[in-house]
Each structure stands twice: as structure tokens, then as C-alpha cells.
């Protein structure tokens, strides 16, 4: 009961249900909890081990059985995330000798005790404040130490473990409406005229030319961590990264065309086919699905991977055709799949990465593919007829750089990589595969960088939490820039959502404050939408 009470307090008073996970509350009925718990915990920033007076005794009783509580504590410790023992019911820290060797360090970790009765709420509030500071420091340290190739974090827990996480980069909670107002996704439409945004409970678009909210609103049934425009701009696909819930929307009316069911959680990516007729998805069970949007039975193909870590984290359609996909995930491989006769068949696989493959990007002509892994392996592939024709390691300096974001120029001439640890943009020529001198970005920020190409492919914008800079390619001349406000500098996540050709404007989002900003590259003009209340949001800011 103490674990549930703590969960209720953290959800209701501080973080919201999409940031705190407790297995018996958060997992849907009928789902296999065993792979879920470990998968979710891998996405955590913090883990709380709730210890009652009988905790060591329960561990001993389960000795020799499949003890998932023990597995989760071991996983949290091995991942290096902060693990905080939370003592409840008058319990003390267990003795080292009473614990399995794999978690014997637990009594030496700084702990916190929650008192019973009327003091419980006050102790929970104090713990929440300390967790915010701990999470903030952990995220900042991890940004300096390890590239964040994953797009979102989640929370994971066993019966005695709570895990607390936020978006990709930690953001402080500064008002009681945060859980219902957090901006969980945004993307610029292919024609650059609209920005699709998701706030828990709402899907809306912002008209770039008018700098105004659209009048129609789509009603979400939970967070939409993934938002994807169809290439023709007619449709939107949204997905909840934790539950796997997906919907197909008519972008003009914001009405649901149909739900797309089948994923059981940990949905990481959604990709549209170039002709806007199909959607591909990847999930934590190692399943890739392809959906046809105009079919009565939309599921048209599925591939299931096995292995120690079959989790699929990224999917990408090859330009120029609706049948070829590149897939990456928690194994050090990149797979090429082809949809044929209602089946997804593997046509080739690259096994030369060293770890988790977090990004794959096709060149606009579909002849090249770049893939990046967690240990900063950056590989340049030639592809023809569904097979790898060549694979070249670009020689990225492992351990000295980071791959925060990457993207091809619209004309396919350049590959750009945002390196947040050095605050530079690195360029490679698609024709020669050779690196150009890095483009310097100043000033240095604390949060990972993101980038966006101009429609003409001659400029690149890069942002961290400190500033946005626009640089010419390939000479790196500073063409424009603007500094962010104090809130972003203090740790708020700022992400480039795209570059609109309407007025030559860059679009970025600030998740915690539900703000979208337009920046005119030629004029330096900034336009912001930042509602002061939920009512203001509903009225259009």
C-alpha cells in the first residue's frame, strides 16, 4: 500500500501519470508483464526501490524462483541510473548480508524514509522536490557522458520499484497544470504551412503564415509522443510511446479515421511510405508492422525479430517506392525489409555496429543510408535493390563526440550531424563520403542539440537550450541567430520542429511551457504562442 500511496502522490501532485510508472497500476490488463518491466526500466532516469519491513524476507522466500523485483533492481543498478531506497512502514536499510550479491550495494546508497499518517504527504512532497534535482543533475551528466539516441524516456517498475522519468531531456515542473499541458510532440507539415502539436488530450495545428491556432481540435486519449505527417499533408499518424495506442487522423478535420491496434506498448517510431498510402511502425517486442490506410483491414504485413534485445527503435521507408524499409533497434544491426505478397521479408542485414542503433536516415534519392549507434558508430551505406552494396565507417571519434541529431540536405548533397558535446555541426559530402571542416555553434549549451535544413539545402539551423544559429553550407558562415530565454537555459528542452518555406522561418518547441516559436531567418523576427492557462490554450492563446 505504501508504494501505491507514493505513486498516487507523485502522479496527482507532481509529475502526472505519463511520467511515473507502477506495474500493477500502469500495465494494461492481459499484457505479458515480464518483458515490459525490463524494457520500461531501460528508459528510466531514476528508480525508487520501496522497502518495507519484510522486504529482505520476501527476497529470501523468492530465492531460486523467477524474481522480477530482483531482476529490476539489478537492471537499474547495472544501467547506472540513480537508485534511491525509499523506506516505508518504519523499515530500516537491510544489511548487506541479507541481500543477494548482485544488489548488495543497496544499503550503501543514500536513502529516504517516509513517515506514516499525516506526515506521509509532506514527506512525499519533499521527496518529489529532491527527485527533481536529482533527475536534473543525472540528465545533464548523461548528456555530457553519453549521446541520447533515444527520442523519449519512460518509467519502469516492479512491485516494489517506482521509476520516475520525463521527456528526453528533464524539465522542471513549475505549475500544477503541467501534466495536462506538456507538449509531447510537434512536427512541421511537408509544405511548411502548418505545425502539428500534441498536448495531452489535444491534437492541434498552428498556421505558420497567420501565426494562429487552427479552429479544429482532435481529442486524444493520452500522450502522443510520436506525430508524423503523411508526405502529401492529408493525414496525421499519432502514437503513445508507452501504451502503443495509435490513431490515423484527417489533418483537415482533425477527426479520427481509424485506430490502429496491435502494439502492446513501447511504440518507438512511425514512418510513412513516400506515396502516403502506408504506415510502418516498430515496437519493444521486436515487431515491425505495415498498415495500409485505405484498406478495410489495414494491417498488410508484419515482421517479428528474436534475439536477446529484439526491440525495434527506428523505421524508415526508402524514398521512391512503397516497399522497402530500413530498421534499427537495440541490437547492433540494421535490417533491410521488403513488403511482398503481404509479408515483410528481410533482404539484407548489416551487423557491423557496436551497440544499439538509434537512427537510420535515407538520402533523398534512396541510394544511400546512414545509421548511428549508441557508441557513436556512424556508418554510410550504399543500397541498391534492397541490398547493401557498401558500408563505410565514417570514423567518428568514439568517446569524444555525440550524435544528437542528423539529417540529409533536401538535395542529398550533404549529411549533417549535430554534435552537442563539441557544439559543432559536422558535414559529410554524399558524393565523396569525405568530411568537411566542422561548423562552429556558439554559445555552448547544456541540453542536446537538434538541427533542421533549409528547403534549398544551402543552410542548416542548429539549436540547443541556449540559442539557435543558422549557418551557411559548407563554409559555415553565421547568417542569423537568436538566444533563448532564461527558462530554456535553466534546463528546458528546446527542439527544432522544422524549417518552413513560408516566410523562411525556423520552428522550434519548448515542451514544458507549451510554446511554439517562429524565427524569421532574414528578418530576425520572433513570433511565439505561449498560453498562460489551459483556458487560454483552448481559446487559441
Amino acid at each position: 500500500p505504501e508504494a501505491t500511496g507514493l505513486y498516487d502522490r507523485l502522479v496527482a501532485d507532481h509529475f502526472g501519470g505519463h511520467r511515473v510508472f507502477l506495474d500493477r497500476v500502469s500495465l494494461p490488463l492481459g499484457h505479458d508483464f515480464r518483458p515490459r518491466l525490463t524494457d520500461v526500466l531501460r528508459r528510466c532516469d531514476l528508480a525508487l526501490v520501496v522497502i518495507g519491513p519484510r522486504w529482505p524476507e520476501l527476497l529470501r522466500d523468492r530465492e531460486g524462483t523467477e524474481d522480477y523485483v530482483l531482476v529490476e533492481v539489478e537492471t537499474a543498478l547495472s544501467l547506472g541510473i540513480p537508485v534511491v531506497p525509499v523506506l516505508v512502514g518504519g523499515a530500516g536499510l537491510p544489511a548487506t548480508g541479507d541481500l543477494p550479491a548482485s544488489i548488495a550495494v543497496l544499503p550503501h546508497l543514500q536513502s529516504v524514509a517516509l513517515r506514516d499518517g499525516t506526515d506521509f504527504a509532506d514527506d512525499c512532497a519533499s521527496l518529489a522536490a529532491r527527485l527533481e534535482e536529482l533527475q536534473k543533475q543525472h540528465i545533464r551528466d548523461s548528456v555530457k557522458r553519453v549521446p541520447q539516441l533515444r527520442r523519449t524516456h519512460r518509467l519502469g517498475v516492479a512491485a516494489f520499484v517506482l521509476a520516475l522519468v520525463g521527456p528526453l531531456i528533464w524539465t522542471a515542473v513549475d505549475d500544477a497544470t503541467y501534466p495536462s499541458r506538456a507538449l509531447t510532440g510537434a512536427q512541421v507539415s511537408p509544405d511548411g504551412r502548418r505545425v502539428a502539436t500534441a498536448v495531452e488530450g489535444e491534437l492541434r495545428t498552428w498556421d505558420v503564415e497567420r501565426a494562429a491556432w487552427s479552429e479544429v481540435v482532435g481529442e486524444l486519449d493520452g500522450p502522443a509522443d510520436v506525430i508524423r505527417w503523411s508526405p502529401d499533408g492529408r493525414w496525421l499518424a499519432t502514437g503513445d510511446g508507452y501504451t502503443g495506442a495509435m490513431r490515423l487522423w484527417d489533418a483537415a478535420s482533425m477527426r479520427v479515421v481509424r485506430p490502429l491496434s496491435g502494439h502492446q506498448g513501447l511504440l518507438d517510431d512511425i514512418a510513412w511510405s513516400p506515396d502516403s498510402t502506408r504506415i510502418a511502425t516498430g515496437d519493444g517486442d521486436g515487431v515491425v508492422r505495415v498498415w495500409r490506410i485505405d484498406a478495410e483491414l489495414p494491417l498488410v504485413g508484419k515482421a517479428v525479430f528474436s534475439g536477446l534485445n529484439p526491440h525495434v527503435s527506428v523505421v524508415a521507408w526508402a524514398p521512391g517506392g512503397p516497399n522497402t524499409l530500413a530498421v534499427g533497434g537495440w541490437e547492433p544491426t540494421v535490417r533491410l525489409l521488403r513488403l511482398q505478397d503481404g509479408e515483410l521479408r528481410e533482404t539484407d542485414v548489416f551487423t557491423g555496429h557496436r551497440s544499439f542503433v538509434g537512427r537510420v536516415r535515407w538520402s533523398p534519392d534512396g541510394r544511400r543510408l546512414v545509421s548511428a549507434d549508441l557508441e557513436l558508430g556512424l556508418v554510410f551505406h550504399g543500397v541498391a535493390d534492397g541490398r547493401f552494396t557498401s558500408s563505410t565507417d565514417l570514423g567518428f571519434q568514439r568517446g569524444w563526440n555525440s550524435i544528437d541529431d542528423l539529417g540529409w540536405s533536401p538535395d542529398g548533397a550533404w549529411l549533417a550531424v549535430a554534435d552537442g558535446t563539441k557544439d559543432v555541426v559536422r558535414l559529410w559530402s554524399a558524393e565523396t563520403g569525405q568530411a568537411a571542416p566542422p561548423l562552429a555553434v556558439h554559445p555552448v549549451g547544456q541540453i542536446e542539440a537538434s538541427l533542421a535544413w533549409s528547403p534549398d539545402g544551402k543552410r542548416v539551423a542548429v539549436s540547443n537550450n541556449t540559442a539557435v544559429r543558422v549557418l551557411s553550407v559548407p563554409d559555415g558562415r553565421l547568417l542569423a541567430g537568436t538566444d533563448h530565454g532564461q527558462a530554456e537555459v535553466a534546463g528546458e528542452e528546446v527542439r527544432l520542429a522544422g524549417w518552413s518555406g513560408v516566410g523562411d522561418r525556423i520552428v522550434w518547441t519548448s515542451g514544458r511551457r507549451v510554446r511554439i516559436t517562429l524565427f524569421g531567418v532574414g528578418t530576425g523576427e520572433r513570433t511565439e504562442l505561449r498560453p498562460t492557462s489551459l483556458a487560454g490554450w483552448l481559446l487559441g492563446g
Side-chain angles (χ1 to χ4, degrees):
E2 290 89 352
T4 304
L6 176 58
Y7 170 84
D8 291 341
R9 289 288 179 179
L10 294 178
V11 168
D13 299 339
H14 302 283
F15 301 109
H18 63 295
R19 297 180 68 199
V20 184
F21 178 93
L22 179 63
D23 59 350
R24 58 178 175 263
V25 174
S26 304
L27 287 175
L29 293 175
H31 286 204
D32 186 347
F33 66 88
R34 294 170 298 178
R36 281 292 170 269
L37 295 177
T38 302
D39 281 351
V40 172
L41 190 57
R42 289 180 184 274
R43 297 188 176 193
C44 295
D45 294 327
L46 305 172
L48 308 184
V49 182
V50 182
I51 299 176
R54 297 184 60 234
W55 202 74
E57 177 186 341
L58 292 173
L59 282 179
R60 287 194 298 271
D61 291 345
R62 293 171 179 161
E63 189 174 355
T65 67
E66 205 170 19
D67 186 351
Y68 289 98
V69 174
L70 177 60
V71 169
E72 286 175 317
V73 177
E74 291 172 336
T75 301
L77 292 170
S78 68
L79 290 172
I81 63 176
V83 175
V84 181
V86 179
L87 308 177
V88 298
L93 282 168
T96 300
D98 292 335
L99 299 175
S102 58
I103 62 170
V105 70
L106 207 61
H108 304 288
L109 301 178
Q110 188 67 30
S111 63
V112 62
L114 301 182
R115 294 169 293 178
D116 295 333
T118 58
D119 294 320
F120 185 76
D122 291 339
D123 288 351
C124 287
S126 176
L127 173 61
R130 295 174 66 182
L131 291 176
E132 288 179 356
E133 292 303 315
L134 179 60
Q135 189 184 37
K136 179 178 180 180
Q137 186 59 51
H138 171 64
I139 288 294
R140 286 181 172 175
D141 291 346
S142 68
V143 168
K144 296 175 183 177
R145 184 178 66 251
V146 177
Q148 298 286 337
L149 288 183
R150 301 188 55 74
R151 193 190 50 75
T152 59
H153 289 175
R154 282 292 176 271
L155 347 191
V157 182
F160 296 91
V161 182
L162 289 175
L164 170 66
V165 306
L168 175 61
I169 299 301
W170 179 89
T171 57
V173 180
D174 65 349
D175 62 73
T177 61
Y178 168 76
S180 63
R181 292 177 53 206
L183 185 65
T184 58
Q187 189 182 37
V188 176
S189 63
D191 62 7
R193 297 185 177 278
R194 293 168 290 174
V195 183
T197 62
V199 175
E200 188 174 353
E202 294 183 346
L203 179 67
R204 303 191 69 155
T205 60
W206 195 30
D207 187 294
V208 172
E209 191 168 11
R210 295 189 300 114
W213 288 111
S214 62
E215 296 179 358
V216 293
V217 180
E219 297 297 327
L220 295 164
D221 58 359
D225 302 303
V226 188
I227 300 177
R228 296 289 186 268
W229 286 94
S230 62
D232 62 10
R234 293 181 57 195
W235 316 100
L236 282 163
T238 63
D240 182 334
Y242 173 65
T243 67
M246 288 176 51
R247 288 183 172 186
L248 174 66
W249 304 78
D250 182 298
S253 67
M254 284 298 175
R255 295 183 181 276
V256 177
V257 177
R258 62 165 55 95
L260 302 175
S261 60
H263 288 294
Q264 294 189 2
L266 301 185
L267 174 68
D268 268 10
D269 202 9
I270 298 173
W272 281 91
S273 64
D275 61 2
S276 299
T277 65
R278 299 173 186 180
I279 299 170
T281 59
D283 71 11
D285 290 331
V287 180
V288 176
R289 291 175 170 86
V290 174
W291 319 80
R292 188 171 182 90
I293 66 171
D294 59 355
E296 184 175 347
L297 298 174
L299 182 62
V300 295
K302 184 170 74 171
V304 182
F305 302 119
S306 59
L308 293 177
N309 293 295
H311 190 123
V312 175
S313 59
V314 59
V315 294
W317 288 94
N323 295 324
T324 301
L325 285 160
V327 175
W330 286 15
E331 293 187 329
T333 60
V334 180
R335 304 174 188 273
L336 296 180
L337 307 178
R338 176 165 290 175
L339 183 62
Q340 187 174 353
D341 299 328
E343 294 185 11
L344 276 174
R345 299 176 180 176
E346 184 178 292
T347 59
D348 207 352
V349 59
F350 172 77
T351 60
H353 277 289
R354 300 187 180 186
S355 66
F356 174 113
V357 175
R359 289 190 174 92
V360 295
R361 298 284 191 276
W362 290 95
S363 63
D365 61 9
R367 296 168 52 202
R368 301 175 180 90
L369 180 75
V370 66
S371 55
D373 67 41
L374 190 63
E375 291 188 15
L376 306 181
L378 192 63
V379 181
F380 196 85
H381 309 275
V383 180
D385 195 28
R387 296 191 177 277
F388 293 112
T389 59
S390 62
S391 295
T392 304
D393 192 320
L394 295 183
F396 213 58
Q397 300 175 28
R398 295 177 176 85
W400 293 95
N401 307 110
S402 68
I403 302 173
D404 291 338
D405 199 5
L406 57 85
W408 293 90
S409 61
D411 59 7
W414 297 96
L415 171 69
V417 174
D419 178 353
T421 60
K422 299 294 184 180
D423 280 276
V424 298
V425 176
R426 303 185 184 276
L427 296 174
W428 279 266
S429 167
E431 182 177 354
T432 66
Q434 298 299 309
L439 313 184
V441 181
H442 300 288
V444 173
Q446 294 294 323
I447 303 297
E448 74 169 66
S450 57
L451 60 80
W453 281 94
S454 64
D456 62 10
K458 296 180 179 179
R459 297 160 293 168
V460 65
V462 61
S463 175
N464 53 28
N465 68 312
T466 303
V468 174
R469 295 290 184 259
V470 180
L471 308 171
S472 62
V473 175
D475 58 14
R477 287 183 296 113
L478 179 62
L479 302 177
T482 183
D483 293 341
H484 295 312
Q486 186 60 39
E488 288 87 347
V489 174
E492 180 171 350
E493 179 186 11
V494 179
R495 298 290 298 173
L496 290 178
W499 194 317
S500 172
V502 179
D504 200 24
R505 295 165 172 165
I506 300 166
V507 182
W508 67 83
T509 63
S510 302
R512 169 164 59 105
R513 298 176 184 269
V514 196
R515 178 171 60 193
I516 298 176
T517 304
L518 290 179
F519 175 70
V521 175
T523 64
E525 180 183 0
R526 288 177 59 147
T527 305
E528 295 183 353
L529 179 63
R530 181 180 174 184
T532 57
S533 66
L534 188 56
W537 171 274
L538 294 172
L539 293 173

